[in-house]
Amino acid sequence: MSTKENAAVSQLLALLEARYAMRVLWALRDGHAQTFRLLQDSVGGITPNTLNTRIKELREAGLVSHGGDGYSLTVSGQDLLKRLSDLQAFAGKWQLGQIKKAAAPATAATAPPSLPPSSPPPSPSPSSSSPPAPSSSPTATPSSSPSAPSSTPPLDTGN
């Protein structure tokens, strides 16, 4: 881009970056003229002084005009919003991505990292549902591990 083109883009962005400027243009996008009060309601949260300032700047820039019915976009303002029309589609996709991104840490915090969320938790031992049978042999040694085989012979103590 040339220096002249950069200057034009910078100048337009400076105008559009002003507080509520894009919202004023967006409120007029449907092509229907709006009175000052209706435009203030459409933008929402804007003070009358700020709206007056934005309308003045946008009129001087040739993007908004005032007629008998109220404020509306000029041909240049319509052209600008037409070029920005993909913004709505992009915003919808972007918002879904933000929601998914915000939900991902919450999901990771509630599910164990080694198990998928649909898997049941592992049981401590295969015989956990019924109590172990008492041993009838006085020489059998109890196992210290629930997973150790029960047929382990007694240790020879050397006697």
Side-chain angles (χ1 to χ4, degrees), residues 29-50:
R29 75 186 180 282
D30 66 0
H32 295 95
Q34 294 188 31
T35 63
F36 185 89
R37 180 71 181 145
L38 184 58
L39 186 55
Q40 184 180 10
D41 290 343
S42 296
V43 171
I46 190 170
T47 65
N49 188 37
T50 302

Side-chain angles (χ1 to χ4, degrees), residues 65-129:
S65 65
H66 184 263
D69 295 339
Y71 296 96
S72 59
L73 294 174
T74 63
V75 173
S76 291
Q78 292 170 358
D79 185 34
L80 173 63
L81 286 184
K82 182 178 159 186
R83 293 171 189 275
L84 295 173
S85 65
D86 288 337
L87 184 63
Q88 190 169 13
F90 175 83
K93 289 178 186 177
W94 174 81
Q95 186 179 37
L96 285 175
Q98 294 299 305
I99 291 168
K100 288 178 184 177
K101 188 195 285 186
T107 303
T110 59
S114 61
L115 297 174
S118 62
S119 298
S123 60
S125 70
S127 62
S128 65
S129 61

